[in-house]
Amino acid sequence: MTQTDYDVIVVGGGHNGLVHAAYLAKAGLRTVVLERNKVVGGAAITEELHPGFHFTTFSYAISLLRPDIVHDLELVKHGMLVIPLEHHFAPMENGDYLLLGPDGGENYHEIARHSARDAEAYRDYSHLMERVGHAVKPLLDEIPPNIVSTDPVELARVARLGRHLRGLHPKVLHLLVRLLTGSAADILDDYFESEIIKGLFASSGIIGSRVGPRSQGSGLVLLYHLLGEIDGVFGEWGFHKGGNGGFTQAVGRAAQAFGVEIRLGASVTDVIVENGRTTGVALETGEEIYASTVVSALDPRRTFLKLVDPRQLPTNLVQSVQDYKFQGSSSKVNFALEGPPRYPALGNRTDVYRGFINIGPSMDYLERAFDEAKYGTFSKRPFIDACVQSMLDPEMSPPGKHIMSCFVQYTPYEMKGTDWDAERDNLGDTVQAALESFFPGFGDLIMFREVVTPLDIERRVGLSEGNIFAGEFLTPQMFFFRPAPGWNQYRTPIEGYYQCGSGTHPGGCVMGAPGKLAAQQVLGDLAAV
Amino acid sequence: MKTTPFHDRLKPLNGTHLWEHWSGYLSAVKYQHSATFEYFAIRNSAALFDTSPLFKYRISGPDAASFLGGVMTRDPETCAVGHGLYTAWCDDDGFVREDGVILRTGADEFWLAAAKPNLDYLARAAGCRQVVVDDVSARFGILALQGPLSTDVLAAAGVDVAALPYFGVTSAALAGRRIMISRTGFTGDLGYEIWVEAPDAIRVFDAIVGSGVDFNLVPIGSRALTMARLEAGMLLIDVDFSSARHAWTPADRETPDELGLGWMVPSSESRPFVGAAAIARERELETTRWRTVGIQADPGAYEGMFNSRGLIAPKHGVYVDTSQSLYDRDFDAEPGGQYVGYVTSFMFSPLLKRHIGIAKVPFDRAGAGSEVYLERSVLHRPAYVKCHVVPMPMFNPPRKTALLALETS
C-alpha cells in the first residue's frame, strides 16, 4: 500500500494543472494529470458543437499568459500560436461607434470625434497605466510573501515589497493604490468626458466580476485586464489558433512531451490523508492512485472543502475558504452565423470584427446592467464582450460562415425566485435582442446558439458558482490572501498536498502563473527533504 | 487616415507616391526621388511645406496672457501684439514637455502650434481663470513658405510682408481670402508660415504656387525640412528629445539647460511658471547632467574611415535620426576609451560640406572645439570618427532675421 504509482498526482487538467505538471515532469518527477472531462483544458476548451463550427465554449482570449512559460515549456514547438487583435470596436446606442486600432495617430482622431480632450487624455492615461503595470507585473511572477508568518525570510520579503512600492514615482504609486482600492469610474471620470470612451475602458473593470464600474473593486479588475501583453505590446489581447482549446491542447502536448501522463475521464472524489499527510487520491470509480504529493488545480472550495475532509484543516482556514467569494456573474452565449454581422454605420465593412466588439456604450449602461444583478436577476440590457473569432481564424467555421463568442454580464449565479435551468433560453433571447439592437438583422444570421450560464460553468468545468477566475478578483482575495491568509504559497496544512489553480496567486485570466509558481514551491519543498 | 486641406493639390505633386503618417495625417516624405533638390530650394529659392498636421490652439480671454505666462517657459505676456515667440513648456520637475511657437494677435488673443495635443493639458491648467482654449487644429491649414525668395513669392501673390519682422505676425488677404501670416519656420532661413481657414486652403495654395513659378518654388517633404532644421540647430521632438509628459525614466527627460534652451529662463527671471522652482533648484545645486551641442565630423577623418576599408565615404542622402554613441577616443587606434554621450540626429550638410549632428555631451566636452568620437558602422564593423563641438545653429544666414523694409505702421 505504501508503494506509490507516481511522484505527483495533479487533480484537474485545466491550463494551470497542465502547466504545473509539465514543470514537474521537466524536473524529472513521474507526474499524472487526472482530468474528469473527456478533454484537457478545463474552462479553456474548443468544441465543435455544430458541424464545422468550433466554439470557445468558455474562455476565449489570451493576454496575460506568462511569457517565461512559453519558453520553459517549449509551447511554440507544440503548436502555440496567438493571433493579435487588430481592432477594438465599440458600437453606440445612437448608431455611431468608436473604433481603435494599432495607429496612435489615427486613434487620436477617432477618439477626438467624440472628444478632443479625451483623445489627448488617452495618452496620459495609457502612459500612467503602463507604468503601473510595469511596476506590478513582477508580482505576477513570484510566490507572494506570507504576511502572517514570523519567519525572517518572509518578513524580509514583505519589507522588500515595501521598498519596491516606495521606489515608485508618486503618481504611479497613487494610481496603483486607487486601482487596488477604488472603482474604475473614479479613475476614468478623472481622465475622460465622453461616455463611449468611459464605457469601453470601464468594461475592462467589470469582466468576470460582480462589480459595477462604480463599485470599489472594479479598479483592480481594470488593472488586471491591462497587465497582459502580446510581444511587449501592453494591454494587447489575442486569440489562440483554434480558440483557447487550441492553446490547452498545445500545453497538453508539451506536458506529455516532458513525460506527463494524462488520464481523461478520471474524476477524483477524495484526496487520501493519513496522519496529516497525503498518500494519493480516490476516483469516482473506487480506484485509488498513490503518490506522496498531490496537487489540486481545482478552486479553493473544492480543494479545501470537497477533496479533503475539512476536519483535517484548521477552522480558520475552513472559515476563510467558506467566506471566499465566488458569486459568478458571467455567461457565454455562442452563435453559429450564416455570415458576419453588419453595423449600419460601417456599411459592408467587416474588418472591424478582427478583435473585440464591446457592447458597453457608457458607464451608465454598465452600471444599470449591474443594478439588476445586485438584486438577483440578469441584466435586461447586458454588457457583452463579443468576438467573431472566425474572422481572424477562418478554420473555426465553414467558409463564409462565422462563429461569434459573446461573453455576457451580469448573470448572477444565485437567481431570485428562479434558477438557470429555467432562465437559460431567456438569457439567450435577451443577448440576441441586445445584439439585434446594434446589428439589425442579426437574428436572421443565427444557425445555432449555445447558452452557457454560471450554473453550466459550475457543472461542466467545476468552477464553483461559475466564477471564471476561480474566485473573485477582490483586493481581500488577492496576493497575501489568495485563497486565504497564510495559505497563499500553494501549500496546504496537509503535508504533501498543494494547490495550483486560479484560486491561488496571481489568479485566473489564463496566466498559467499559479501552475508555474506552485511547481516552484513543490520542487523547492521536495529538494529540501 | 486623415488628409490635410491641401492634400488634393499635393497628391498629384508627389511623384514618389510615398506618404508617412504624421499625427494621423498623410504627409509627404519627399515629392521627388532625391530630397536634396528639395533641400536646395529652401536654401536657394523658395520651398513650400504643408505643416497642417500640427496641433493648433487659440487661447483667448482676459486672463489669457497671464495664464500663458504661468505655463510657458518664456513669458508670452511680454510679447507685443503682432509678434510671436518660440518657447518650451515644462513639467513641475523642470523637464521640458514640449516646444512650440506662440503668436499674439491681440491683447487677449494668442495662437499656439504644437507637435502634440495640448488641449486637455491647457484646459486643465486654466482651471477657473477667464481663458478659453479652442482646438482649431481642423479649422486651419498651415503652409510653410521658406527660403530666400519667399518674400518675393508672397509679393507676387500680392502680399507685401517686407515690413514684417522676424517672429512678426499679421493678417493679410491672399487671393481674396483672409490669412494669418507669421515670419517663422522650421528651416532656420528666411520664411513665413501661413494659416488659412480650411475651406480657403486650395485657393490660397493655388495662388502661392502660381506666384512661385518664377521663383523656383518647390514643394518639399519632411526629409528636406528636417535637414534644414538640423543645420539650423532646431530640436525635433521624439528625435532630439522626448516629451517629459510620457517619459519612462530620468534619461528620457531633459531640462531647458540640458537642451540648450536655458536662454529662455534668464537668471533674473522671477515669474512663477510651471517648472520655475525646479529650474532654479537645478541651477543652484548644479544638477544639470549634460549639454546639447552641435558637432561636426572632421572631414579628412570621415573620408579616411571609409577609404581605409576600401569604400567611398557616403555624403549625399546621409541622414540618421536614431541615437549613436560618442566616445572619448578612437577605439581602434587607442583601446580603453570611454562612452561620453550620444548623437540624436546626424547628416551630411550639402551646404556646409560637412557631416554635422546634434549631440548630448558632458560639460567638459561641451565647449566649442572639444573632441568627441562618433561610432558609425562601416563595412559591418564599428568605426570611430573624430568630431568637434561647434556652436549651434550651424547655419544661420543674416536674412533669417534681417529687417527687409522699414516698418510702415
Side-chain angles (χ1 to χ4, degrees):
Chain A
M1 145 97 226
T2 49
Q3 190 189 344
T4 60
D5 302 297
Y6 299 96
D7 294 322
V8 184
I9 295 166
V10 179
V11 182
H15 70 282
N16 277 310
L18 295 171
V19 164
H20 182 76
Y23 272 100
L24 297 184
K26 190 182 176 188
L29 298 180
R30 292 175 301 148
T31 308
V32 64
V33 172
L34 303 177
E35 167 55 43
R36 187 183 68 166
N37 288 328
K38 297 291 182 208
V39 59
V40 294
I45 59 169
T46 304
E47 300 177 293
E48 188 175 353
L49 294 183
H50 193 68
F53 292 87
H54 301 268
F55 285 69
T56 50
T57 313
F58 311 102
S59 169
Y60 57 101
I62 255 181
S63 174
L64 283 101
L65 175 69
R66 309 319 302 144
D68 52 344
I69 295 175
V70 177
H71 303 302
D72 293 345
L73 302 185
E74 301 175 33
L75 295 185
V76 174
K77 191 170 102 184
H78 295 286
M80 186 182 129
L81 175 63
V82 179
I83 311 153
L85 305 188
E86 290 177 25
H87 288 114
H88 289 264
F89 175 51
M92 291 162 67
E93 287 177 301
N94 66 1
D96 198 354
Y97 59 88
L98 177 74
L99 177 62
L100 299 180
D103 184 322
E106 267 193 303
N107 288 343
Y108 174 87
H109 294 293
E110 173 63 7
I111 300 173
R113 287 203 303 120
H114 305 281
S115 159
R117 289 188 61 169
D118 285 4
E120 179 183 339
Y122 174 51
R123 297 180 178 184
D124 292 337
Y125 170 78
S126 304
H127 173 71
L128 205 55
M129 287 294 278
E130 278 185 41
R131 292 181 67 182
V132 170
H134 186 69
V136 170
K137 230 181 243 184
L139 303 182
L140 298 181
D141 293 315
E142 56 184 62
I143 297 170
N146 183 340
I147 198 161
V148 302
S149 167
T150 52
D151 181 334
V153 173
E154 296 300 324
L155 292 173
R157 294 185 66 211
V158 173
R160 201 179 68 201
L161 179 65
R163 281 196 301 277
H164 173 67
L165 294 176
R166 210 187 57 188
L168 300 178
H169 189 283
K171 277 165 75 176
V172 175
L173 179 61
H174 189 229
L175 179 59
L176 173 60
V177 170
R178 294 185 72 186
L179 287 163
L180 294 180
T181 60
S183 76
D186 283 342
I187 295 162
L188 295 170
D189 282 339
D190 284 352
Y191 280 92
F192 304 110
E193 60 186 15
S194 93
E195 281 304 324
I196 184 64
I197 288 286
K198 289 201 257 188
L200 176 61
F201 294 162
S203 297
S204 294
I206 62 170
I207 296 260
S209 307
R210 204 180 81 176
V211 294
R214 297 190 176 112
S215 314
Q216 283 188 342
S218 51
L220 177 71
V221 181
L222 178 66
L223 173 63
Y224 254 81
H225 282 96
L226 293 177
L227 281 180
E229 63 172 287
I230 303 282
D231 300 337
V233 180
F234 181 85
E236 223 25 79
W237 285 74
F239 296 146
H240 195 280
K241 183 75 180 167
N244 276 6
F247 169 66
T248 48
Q249 287 297 311
V251 183
R253 285 192 292 273
Q256 285 171 317
F258 286 114
V260 172
E261 185 184 331
I262 295 173
R263 280 185 61 182
L264 299 172
S267 179
V268 174
T269 53
D270 295 281
V271 169
I272 306 165
V273 179
E274 287 173 10
N275 303 320
R277 119 166 294 301
T278 184
T279 56
V281 300
L283 304 187
E284 205 173 34
T285 56
E287 183 189 352
E288 294 192 348
I289 305 172
Y290 302 107
S292 54
T293 302
V294 174
V295 186
S296 167
L298 310 188
D299 71 32
R301 184 178 288 174
R302 286 174 196 276
T303 300
F304 290 109
L305 306 184
K306 303 248 172 95
L307 288 182
V308 298
D309 181 347
R311 286 175 303 178
Q312 311 256 15
L313 302 171
T315 51
N316 269 346
L317 172 59
V318 171
Q319 192 62 49
S320 289
V321 174
Q322 279 171 354
D323 293 344
Y324 182 89
K325 301 287 183 286
F326 290 95
Q327 56 192 32
S329 307
S330 321
S331 297
K332 275 294 290 293
V333 180
N334 300 312
F335 296 99
L337 301 177
E338 286 282 3
R342 303 284 174 181
Y343 193 70
L346 290 168
N348 287 327
R349 237 184 116 174
T350 56
D351 62 311
V352 301
Y353 303 131
R354 294 191 203 122
F356 291 132
I357 304 164
N358 195 83
I359 307 287
S362 69
M363 205 91 93
D364 281 351
Y365 181 103
L366 299 172
E367 191 68 27
R368 274 200 202 98
F370 176 56
D371 283 344
E372 289 160 308
K374 281 188 283 195
Y375 307 110
T377 56
F378 66 79
S379 314
K380 293 294 165 290
R381 290 281 285 168
F383 160 68
I384 303 172
D385 183 36
C387 46
V388 188
Q389 288 145 311
S390 47
M391 277 285 172
L392 267 179
D393 186 355
E395 293 173 89
M396 293 188 80
S397 63
K401 311 227 182 318
H402 289 283
I403 50 144
M404 183 170 182
S405 149
C406 297
F407 175 89
V408 180
Q409 273 182 213
Y410 297 84
T411 59
Y413 175 78
E414 300 260 15
M415 294 281 279
K416 192 162 241 169
T418 179
D419 62 48
W420 278 115
D421 285 321
E423 296 296 329
R424 189 173 294 108
D425 281 337
N426 291 339
L427 174 64
D429 293 346
T430 298
V431 168
Q432 215 168 297
L435 290 169
E436 183 75 34
S437 74
F438 289 97
F439 302 95
F442 179 79
D444 300 336
L445 299 172
I446 298 169
M447 304 168 66
F448 178 82
R449 180 178 91 184
E450 178 197 28
V451 182
V452 185
T453 70
L455 183 64
D456 300 316
I457 297 174
E458 182 179 64
R459 282 178 185 158
R460 295 186 50 197
V461 185
L463 288 165
S464 297
E465 299 181 24
N467 185 292
I468 65 168
F469 301 135
E472 287 273 58
F473 273 6
L474 297 166
T475 301
Q477 298 193 169
M478 304 306 281
F479 202 62
F480 293 129
F481 313 112
R482 195 170 184 89
W487 301 105
N488 62 333
Q489 296 182 324
Y490 312 98
R491 299 187 184 106
T492 74
I494 296 164
E495 208 181 324
Y497 184 40
Y498 291 83
Q499 35 174 348
C500 77
S502 293
T504 62
H505 173 76
C509 282
V510 200
M511 278 190 269
K516 175 190 75 175
L517 296 173
Q520 287 174 11
Q521 193 68 293
V522 168
L523 291 170
D525 287 354
L526 289 176
V529 171
Chain B
M1 191 58 51
K2 290 175 90 81
T3 54
T4 75
F6 306 108
H7 186 75
D8 287 349
R9 287 295 185 270
L10 298 175
K11 192 179 173 192
L13 293 173
N14 187 347
T16 68
H17 298 269
L18 295 174
W19 303 88
E20 63 185 349
H21 295 173
W22 176 13
S23 295
Y25 287 90
L26 284 186
S27 174
V29 183
K30 50 190 185 177
Y31 289 85
Q32 50 184 307
H33 176 74
S34 172
T36 304
F37 304 116
E38 298 177 13
Y39 160 85
F40 271 105
I42 301 171
R43 297 295 184 225
N44 160 56
S45 54
L48 197 59
F49 180 74
D50 177 10
T51 190
S52 305
L54 287 176
F55 294 89
K56 311 166 206 83
Y57 303 102
R58 178 176 180 269
I59 299 118
S60 60
D63 292 341
S66 68
F67 161 64
L68 288 172
V71 171
M72 298 294 162
T73 307
R74 291 178 75 194
D75 189 1
E77 199 166 7
T78 64
C79 180
V81 174
H83 287 265
L85 51 71
Y86 165 65
T87 183
W89 51 104
C90 297
D91 64 12
D92 280 328
D93 298 321
F95 293 106
V96 173
R97 289 170 71 103
E98 240 174 279
D99 62 344
V101 170
I102 292 178
L103 303 171
R104 187 174 200 176
T105 53
D108 299 337
E109 185 181 58
F110 296 84
W111 305 81
L112 167 68
K116 308 274 180 184
N118 278 278
L119 174 69
D120 192 56
Y121 174 61
L122 293 175
R124 279 171 197 266
C128 50
R129 291 186 188 84
Q130 282 195 286
V131 54
V132 178
V133 183
D134 290 316
D135 185 342
V136 295
S137 301
R139 210 179 112 194
F140 292 94
I142 306 182
L143 283 177
L145 175 63
Q146 304 279 304
L149 302 185
S150 50
T151 317
D152 306 79
V153 173
L154 285 168
V159 181
D160 179 7
V161 285
L164 195 65
Y166 187 49
F167 270 92
V169 58
T170 186
S171 66
L174 200 163
R177 298 294 188 269
R178 192 170 169 275
I179 58 167
M180 179 167 76
I181 183 164
S182 58
R183 192 167 152 191
T184 51
F186 202 51
T187 60
D189 215 302
L190 173 65
Y192 303 88
E193 286 171 310
I194 297 157
W195 293 47
V196 53
E197 301 254 4
D200 301 335
I202 292 293
R203 199 177 159 107
V204 166
F205 182 91
D206 288 345
I208 292 172
V209 169
S211 307
V213 169
D214 298 334
F215 300 97
N216 187 37
L217 175 66
V218 174
I220 63 164
S222 56
R223 169 55 56 88
L225 182 83
T226 199
M227 288 169 73
R229 67 92 202 164
L230 202 169
E231 286 175 343
M234 301 173 105
L235 305 179
L236 182 58
I237 193 165
D238 296 334
V239 172
D240 300 303
F241 72 103
S242 308
S243 170
R245 186 174 194 171
H246 298 144
W248 275 80
T249 70
D252 276 344
R253 304 181 295 185
E254 293 178 77
T255 66
D257 281 346
E258 288 164 347
L259 277 175
L261 303 178
W263 58 270
M264 290 185 178
V265 189
S267 52
S268 59
E269 181 66 274
S270 60
R271 171 180 54 102
F273 63 91
V274 179
I279 291 168
R281 201 161 50 242
E282 174 194 358
R283 289 176 176 179
E284 185 192 330
L285 302 176
E286 297 180 357
T287 54
T288 307
R289 296 164 296 176
W290 54 74
R291 296 286 189 204
T292 300
V293 299
I295 61 160
Q296 197 174 81
D298 184 283
Y302 194 89
E303 306 237 347
M305 174 169 73
F306 287 87
N307 289 340
S308 65
R309 294 187 186 171
L311 299 176
I312 296 170
K315 292 176 184 168
H316 178 95
V318 172
Y319 178 85
V320 187
D321 62 4
T322 50
S323 161
Q324 306 172 82
S325 296
L326 291 172
Y327 297 88
D328 64 351
R329 71 192 69 169
D330 178 350
F331 274 41
D332 284 342
E334 219 185 326
Q338 295 287 318
Y339 168 89
V340 295
Y342 61 100
V343 168
T344 51
S345 39
F346 181 76
M347 68 178 278
F348 177 73
S349 165
L351 188 135
L352 300 171
K353 304 300 174 201
R354 293 280 192 281
H355 288 84
I356 60 173
I358 294 176
K360 317 280 179 180
V361 296
F363 286 6
D364 60 353
R365 287 182 190 270
S370 299
E371 265 181 28
V372 286
Y373 289 80
L374 170 68
E375 184 182 70
R376 298 276 287 154
S377 181
V378 178
L379 210 61
H380 325 300
R381 282 207 301 124
Y384 305 86
V385 60
K386 188 203 277 186
C387 302
H388 288 100
V389 170
V390 293
M392 288 205 291
M394 288 157 272
F395 177 69
N396 193 22
R399 60 178 180 258
K400 177 175 89 174
T401 55
L403 202 55
L404 304 177
L406 289 177
E407 282 189 74
T408 49
S409 55

